[in-house]
Structures are given as structure tokens and as C-alpha cells.
Amino acid sequence: MKTEKAALVLACIAVVIGIGSTNGPVKKMLAQLKPQTELAVWGGTAAEPKDDLRTSIEVKAAKLNSPPIDATVDRVWKAIPGYNGLEVDVEATYRNAQLAGPNAGLKLLYRQIKPEISLNDLGAQPIYRGNPAKPMVSLMINVAWGNQYILPMLDILDQEKVKVTFFLDGSWLSHNKELAAEMLKRGHEMENHAYTHPNMSTLSRARATAEIQKTQNLLKESLGVTNTWFAPPSGDFDQETVDIAASLGLKTVLWTLDTVDWRNPSPDSIITKISSKIEPGSLVLMHPTASSSKALQGMIRGIKAKGLQLGTVSQTLSAERVLPPDVE
């Protein structure tokens, strides 16, 4: 090995001072070097022999690294949340892998990069969907009736390990605090659906404010929930509605896909509709009805079959990145 290193050094010196050529002693010395002494050269300096582990990490990182996506106001979909970028920390991953050993399995360490423009920077805008680059969707269940279907739906959600967002009519909540507490206990998100299920666009500013604020206060008092989202009853709203909700610290959220379950369609038709039309970022509107209760498990499995995760509205509309399984 010492002889090989010396030969390489002599060869490099010869080339630098101009006495090397394609023939003669320099060529002979280079030819005698064994293949395993091949070096990688970056920026004109010699580096260590090629490392399969580092190379593997760099290749994976190149595939996964993505720039952040800014939140934007779309002409049709209105406010669309941003999506964090991803940058694999090659050096940290390499050090961690060396310490863990070859049998531990490679876990890529990363950092998320926030977009320059977030949902909060867009002002008072309605939201109909999450970022289309984020492979997550939400079931948003508006509750003003249908108590007999809620516990069966909760059991299915538990079985499928799915969390949803319930938007509660305040009047319903005032009479069903124990049932609402059970929904919260099972890990679901509890949000605001006004108090008396009115058409918000027809109300005076004072009445519209009271409808939202009364339910907001009730969520806090009865469930200990700090309200984040407001879903206008029947999807009826105007810009004043959005502005009022914003003044109370709430974002106005609607839906991408509607089960129209209040018309009592067949469960199979709901499953087919949602499974075929679901896309990354979709918000799916439901109610506790016979149709949706029977369709719920099939819907969830159809969504999962398309490689999409299910999360709450807060999770789907956040900029937080959905990570592949080998990244931590």
C-alpha cells in the first residue's frame, strides 16, 4: 500500500511539473495502481474512497428534497394553504446511521422549510381545500341532528384509526354535552357550525356575530375547546360572514366534495362518488345520517386505497409535510 501511495504521489508531481506524458514512466506507474485506490475528486481536492452508505443517503435525499410551496388565493378555490419544503440532513443522517449500525435500518433525518407566504398572510378568505401537493384529506361532519348514528360512526372511526372534525351546531351542543364530550374523548376535533343553523348571509352583522360567538363560547365552556374553524350552515355565507369569523379568530371553511347524505342516497353510491373523486387536499362534507353511517367504512378504505392519509381539518390545512416512512 505504501508503494502504491508513493507511486501516485510521484505521478501527480510529474503531471504538475510537466514531465508526465501518455508514454514512459508516469504511464507505467499509473498502470500499476490497483483499482481499489481509485479516489473521488471534488473541487480539485482528493477525497476519501467512495462510501456506499453516504452515496445511498445522497441519492435518497435528492429524490425527497422539495422546495416549500406558498399559500395562495385561487380564482376558484379561494385560499389554498402553503406546504412545507423538505430537506434531508445528509450529514446528520450519515452520522446517525454509523452509530446505529448496519442492522438498524436507514432513517433519514430532515428539516422542514416553511413557505414565505402562509394561510395567515392571505387575509379573510374562505377555504375549500388543502394544498393539492399534500396527500391528506379530511372528513368534516356537521352535527345538528342524527344522534342515533354518532356512536356507531365513532366506533368505525376507532376501528379504522381515523380522526375527523365535527362541526357542532351550538343549540345541539347545549342539549348534548355528554355525547359531544364522548366525541372529544375519542380524539376528534370539535369546531363551530353557528348556533341555530341559520343562513349566515341573510343576517345582520350583530346577529351573525352572535351566532358564531355563542357557539365559540359554548365550545370553550362545555368542552374546554379553543375554536379554530367556522363552517357556515348549508354553506351559505358572504364576505361579511368571513370577515366576522376572522374578527373572532376563526377561519371559514367549506368543502371540496359533498356526500349529499341528507338526501338519503345509497351507501354504495356515496362510497363510489367519494372514492372516485377524492384528491389530495379534499375536504369531504358529511352528516350523521343513515347513509353516511353505512358508507363510512367503505369511504375510508377507498380513500386509503388511493394512498391518501386521513386527518382532521387542522391537520389537512396545515403546512406540515406528510413524510414517507423512512424519514423521521
Side-chain angles (χ1 to χ4, degrees):
M1 179 62 74
K2 289 182 178 179
T3 302
E4 294 166 353
K5 288 184 177 179
L8 180 59
V9 171
L10 290 172
C12 292
I13 293 171
V15 171
V16 170
I17 65 175
I19 63 173
S21 68
T22 55
N23 297 302
V26 173
K27 182 178 180 180
K28 185 175 181 180
M29 284 188 289
L30 291 174
Q32 289 173 344
L33 295 179
K34 294 182 179 179
Q36 59 263 37
T37 64
E38 176 185 343
L39 301 184
V41 177
W42 293 288
T45 60
E48 292 298 318
K50 290 182 179 178
D51 185 317
D52 290 342
L53 174 60
R54 184 185 293 275
T55 299
S56 175
I57 294 169
E58 290 173 346
V59 169
K60 289 177 179 288
K63 292 179 180 179
L64 290 172
N65 287 348
S66 303
I69 301 172
D70 286 339
T72 187
V73 178
D74 183 78
R75 185 175 61 84
V76 175
W77 294 108
K78 304 305 179 183
I80 296 180
Y83 194 36
N84 287 352
L86 181 70
E87 185 177 272
V88 174
D89 190 327
V90 173
E91 290 303 319
T93 300
Y94 181 70
R95 290 194 301 269
N96 188 66
Q98 286 182 313
L99 291 172
N103 298 322
L106 181 62
K107 283 288 185 180
L108 301 175
L109 306 180
Y110 72 98
R111 63 181 68 91
Q112 294 202 33
I113 307 167
K114 293 183 179 181
E116 292 185 6
I117 302 173
S118 73
L119 197 57
N120 290 332
D121 297 323
L122 301 182
Q125 298 280 347
I127 306 165
Y128 289 84
R129 59 164 304 134
N131 193 292
K134 184 171 184 174
M136 180 178 282
V137 303
S138 293
L139 303 181
M140 46 189 299
I141 305 177
N142 292 350
V143 182
W145 62 82
N147 289 20
Q148 66 269 39
Y149 303 110
I150 291 176
L151 287 177
M153 293 175 81
L154 289 175
D155 290 340
I156 292 170
L157 293 169
D158 284 349
Q159 181 182 340
E160 296 294 330
K161 296 180 173 57
V162 168
K163 304 303 180 189
V164 303
T165 300
F166 288 101
F167 287 88
L168 306 183
D169 173 273
S171 178
W172 178 92
L173 174 57
S174 68
H175 294 95
N176 295 278
K177 293 179 181 178
E178 290 186 4
L179 185 52
E182 179 65 22
M183 296 151 74
L184 180 64
K185 179 183 175 182
R186 301 219 195 175
H188 301 292
E189 187 172 44
M190 315 296 279
E191 296 294 339
N192 194 323
H193 196 44
Y195 196 83
T196 63
H197 210 271
N199 288 331
M200 297 295 296
S201 68
T202 67
L203 305 181
S204 68
R205 186 177 185 89
R207 171 74 190 285
T209 301
E211 282 283 341
I212 300 171
Q213 194 167 42
K214 192 172 181 179
T215 298
Q216 185 178 37
N217 292 339
L218 188 58
L219 284 165
K220 186 67 174 180
E221 294 164 4
S222 60
L223 299 176
V225 168
T226 300
N227 189 196
T228 302
W229 308 100
F230 170 65
S234 305
D236 181 86
F237 72 100
D238 56 16
Q239 185 57 44
E240 185 175 58
T241 307
V242 180
D243 291 339
I244 292 169
S247 73
L248 296 171
L250 309 180
K251 289 183 170 56
T252 299
V253 62
L254 292 107
W255 61 85
T256 321
L257 294 175
D258 188 355
T259 59
V260 200
D261 51 8
W262 53 274
R263 291 182 179 173
N264 298 315
S266 71
D268 285 344
S269 69
I270 293 178
I271 294 169
T272 299
K273 176 182 180 179
I274 301 304
S275 298
S276 62
K277 295 185 177 182
I278 198 79
E279 294 178 340
S282 292
L283 306 177
V284 182
L285 177 63
M286 302 170 58
H287 303 82
T289 65
S291 294
S292 278
S293 179
K294 292 175 182 177
L296 182 57
Q297 189 167 60
M299 289 171 56
I300 291 171
R301 293 182 178 180
I303 290 169
K304 288 179 177 178
K306 296 188 83 168
L308 300 171
Q309 294 187 24
L310 289 106
T312 64
V313 167
S314 288
Q315 290 171 328
T316 296
L317 298 185
S318 78
E320 192 74 14
R321 198 168 188 89
V322 175
L323 300 172
D326 61 344
V327 177
E328 66 177 18

